[in-house]
Amino acid sequence: MTIPVLPSVSMPETLAFYGALGFEVTYQQTRPNVYAATRRGEVHLHFMGMKNLDPRQAYSTCLVIVPEVEHLHGTFAEGLRRAYGKLPTAGLPRISRMKKGQSRFTVVDVAGNSVVFIKRNAPDDYDEGAAGSHPDSHLGRALRTAARLRDFRNDDDAAARVLDVALARSEPAAPIERARALAARLEIAVALGEEARARALRAELDELPLSDEDRAELRAELDAVDALERSQR
């Protein structure tokens, strides 16, 4: 067994956060060093006190391989919503998006540590050679880049800039491809609280000449946006 030891600026806040995710404290000490151990099923996370850490500059990361992720994400989201009054999707702490069929999501705790939960034996969501991968157009590449910025670096601002640049170009694209880029940017706008931008993006989406098949294909992505909007009310 390998157990990661992550930094904590405030152990009470760290333990409260992981408590909302269903972790139990199995050990805690304040002397000679601040230290705590937590557990949720077979997942063990330990924490050490580090007073001078700036959570905004933190880069500690660990990967947790689990049997499934969709139900787990829902459970975490429910716990965080109870603890914080709404689902934290930006700032610190936060939880990343979760779409149907996605194989991983990231939780960023109050100290800025990123804990990535990955479904065991799942294909890489970001494998450009995989079936269903985004096309190798400017919009397709922008979608892949934005997804990596959001899901690996938790940088919604950078992902938004990448998509804004791609959407502003006059390069020809199939309506469904532009719709996917608009839906991705809409999700970020909702997460960042950009209400005016979100309304404009949704209006453009509604005006695109999409077939019934295209709209059905896009439904899961728009459902994720709708769920995010409901969670923040």
Side-chain angles (χ1 to χ4, degrees):
M1 177 185 293
T2 301
I3 299 177
V5 180
L6 303 172
S8 169
V9 178
S10 167
M11 194 60 72
E13 291 184 16
T14 292
L15 297 181
F17 174 78
Y18 284 94
L21 301 181
F23 283 77
E24 61 174 322
V25 179
T26 58
Y27 175 78
Q28 186 175 4
Q29 70 177 39
T30 56
R31 295 179 181 177
N33 302 303
V34 176
Y35 194 91
T38 68
R39 175 181 180 178
R40 188 184 193 279
E42 297 181 358
V43 179
H44 296 255
L45 295 176
H46 288 198
F47 303 92
M48 60 180 179
M50 188 175 292
K51 292 182 179 179
N52 297 324
L53 174 70
D54 181 353
R56 296 169 299 177
Q57 302 298 322
Y59 55 83
S60 297
T61 303
C62 75
L63 308 181
V64 181
I65 309 302
V66 292
E68 64 82 33
V69 289
E70 290 188 31
H71 177 72
L72 184 63
H73 184 279
T75 300
F76 283 3
E78 182 180 349
L80 292 173
R81 197 176 290 113
R82 285 198 303 266
Y84 294 94
K86 68 176 184 178
L87 189 64
T89 56
L92 295 174
R94 63 182 179 271
I95 186 170
S96 70
R97 62 183 180 170
M98 186 73 213
K99 295 181 179 179
K100 187 174 178 60
Q102 192 169 311
S103 68
R104 68 191 66 198
F105 67 91
T106 301
V107 169
V108 183
D109 69 19
V110 291
N113 300 306
S114 295
V115 184
V116 186
F117 292 85
I118 303 174
K119 183 178 180 180
R120 183 179 292 114
N121 298 325
D124 186 353
D125 293 336
Y126 308 92
D127 181 359
E128 297 184 10
S133 175
H134 296 305
D136 192 28
S137 63
H138 191 75
L139 276 176
R141 291 192 296 272
L143 278 165
R144 288 193 295 269
T145 299
R148 286 185 177 276
L149 285 167
R150 294 199 73 194
D151 299 339
F152 286 97
R153 291 179 55 186
N154 299 290
D155 194 338
D156 283 353
D157 290 322
R161 289 193 294 272
V162 166
L163 290 171
D164 283 340
V165 170
L167 288 166
R169 290 175 60 128
S170 57
E171 177 184 282
I176 185 61
E177 188 176 2
R178 185 167 184 84
R180 286 200 181 97
L182 288 168
R185 182 61 180 91
L186 172 59
E187 185 178 0
I188 297 173
V190 171
L192 294 178
E194 300 171 333
E195 295 182 6
R197 181 71 170 126
R199 286 194 297 271
L201 289 162
R202 196 175 281 276
E204 184 177 349
L205 261 172
D206 291 341
E207 293 173 1
L208 281 177
L210 297 174
S211 66
D212 290 342
E213 183 178 319
D214 286 342
R215 292 195 180 278
E217 190 175 336
L218 194 65
R219 190 66 260 164
E221 295 170 60
L222 292 179
D223 285 347
V225 175
D226 293 340
L228 179 58
E229 286 182 316
R230 290 193 298 271
S231 73
Q232 296 188 328
R233 291 171 186 163

